[in-house]
Amino acid sequence: MAHEKIVVGVDIGSTKIAVIAAQGTSSGSRQNNIEILGFSEVPVPVGAVINGSVENIKQVGSAIREALQEASLRSDLDIGVVNVSFSGTHVKVTSQSDGVIRPSASSGEEVTQRDVDQLVDDMYRAKIEPNYDVLHVLPMDFVVDNSMGIKEPVGRTGIKLGGNFLIVSANNQSIQRTKKSLADADQNLRCDKMVLGPLATSLAVLTDNEIKAGIALVDIGDHTTDLIIYQDRIIRHIATFPVGGRHITNDLALGCNIQYENAEQLKKQYGAALSADIPLNIEILVNYLAGRQPKPVLKKNIALIIEARLKEIAAMVYAEIIKSGYLDRLIGGIVLTGGSANIDEIELLFEKVTDMSVRVGYPENLERTAKADAVSNSSFSTAIGLAWAGLKSIDPRVKSVCKPATALTASVVQKEKPKEVKEPVKKNGGTFWDNINNIIGKKDDSLGDY
């Protein structure tokens, strides 16, 4: 078993910053597992991140700094390069098509990987809404001359090469605030990739067999619920719904006439997705206000409130799956993740609403260590997926589906010349590699930075 490079994922969520430092392990040419070297989870103040978008740069920057320091101590690494998540209602997904005339086609040469990568690169200049940046170009299928629906174009002969793509774009002001929060955490920190949060999560919790057979990932976050549909190892559909775990907690706070913090505790400790089998006589005493007698709340009422909101979420997801046209092609059914996926019997509720097979997803393919056991839960799924994004391709048919990113741009750096950015290395000066080229890699700047 050979050692691979070290990667660090920083998941910027609405309630916390989660960091994972990991090292890939492989056997031969195949990537097998990752070893967790360090991790951390630091809360962010209420309102610092709203709907997945950074609103308070200083508060988020401080939380990132603390999280990186904690992960650095646990892993004994100097962290200089990270992969970062983005998400939220400001993210837009559109379908677009484009094609090019191959200059070498007249000589009868076959379509090359370079041709395909250049077609994808051109899509980063696709027409989108003003004040938005393209962050992902996800190929669905290709066209070579008059042959359509081609999955693998390399090796075919033809004059025209085209493709159908999902274009993921995000508000550039939101992205800049994310970059500035990274710069506030550490002026020398560099961002290698920015990855859509649920896309990163899918790398951590879905199996290769599920992605091939057809699967719908449902990530129930704090403010939003995200859906990603895979079929035949290709991302076919992405959608976001403006409802999530926070709405469940708000429902409990209003329904039980208690404070939000009490409602969150009730959801985590006593919440259930199905109310039918819960007896009517079970009461839970809630210390809802200092100096007052605890308030009794029926456990069945808690379940009834949670059940109603989850049925709404499940119905929206099911309607979107039908709309996508892939309902009958999702052999793997649904995988649930996110904080609210921990609610008892949630998979049974989704099965009843959608009539599909459902499981709750947790991080896969981790080397079994004490650190791995500590992060084998939904809180770290996205951060682990961000680490995977630095180790394996999201779509092996193309060079990359991520637009090259840097944490620091001309608008966020200070005037003095920045210090040299270091890749993650052992603090004692040693490394996990035998060759310096494996440590620093070679950065491809052909697409430019944004």
Side-chain angles (χ1 to χ4, degrees), residues 52-77:
S53 179
V54 173
E55 298 298 330
N56 190 309
I57 295 168
K58 290 295 182 182
Q59 290 179 336
V60 174
S62 177
I64 292 174
R65 185 184 312 113
E66 182 181 347
L68 288 174
Q69 289 173 348
E70 186 177 334
S72 178
L73 287 173
R74 283 197 170 112
S75 60
D76 194 29
L77 292 172

Side-chain angles (χ1 to χ4, degrees), residues 8 109 119 123 184 192 198-199 280 283 317 353 357:
V8 179
E109 293 182 9
L119 177 63
M123 293 305 296
D184 187 78
D192 182 43
L199 180 56
L280 278 167
E283 287 188 343
V317 167
V353 173
S357 63

Side-chain angles (χ1 to χ4, degrees), residues 14 34 39 83 119 127 134 157 187 216 227 265-266 283 299 325 337 362 367 390 416 420 449:
S14 297
I34 58 173
F39 63 92
N83 293 335
L119 177 63
K127 292 183 179 179
V134 176
T157 57
Q187 191 67 30
L227 168 68
Q265 185 178 9
L266 279 181
E283 287 188 343
K299 186 176 181 181
T337 188
Y362 299 102
E367 290 287 322
E416 63 266 30
E420 180 182 359
D449 294 325

Side-chain angles (χ1 to χ4, degrees), residues 369-414:
T369 64
K371 290 178 180 178
D373 291 340
V375 301
S376 294
N377 57 70
S378 58
S379 293
F380 288 97
S381 293
T382 302
I384 292 172
L386 290 167
W388 271 119
L391 296 171
K392 65 179 181 181
S393 175
I394 294 174
D395 188 330
R397 299 175 299 167
V398 297
K399 178 174 61 177
S400 176
V401 301
C402 299
K403 187 174 184 178
T406 55
L408 306 180
T409 65
S411 62
V412 296
V413 295
Q414 296 178 351

Side-chain angles (χ1 to χ4, degrees), residues 3 107 113 133 145 167 173 263 269 294 335 344 444:
H3 288 301
S107 62
Q113 187 64 52
D133 290 335
D145 286 348
I167 306 297
Q173 292 301 313
Q269 292 187 356
V335 172
D344 192 33
D444 187 348

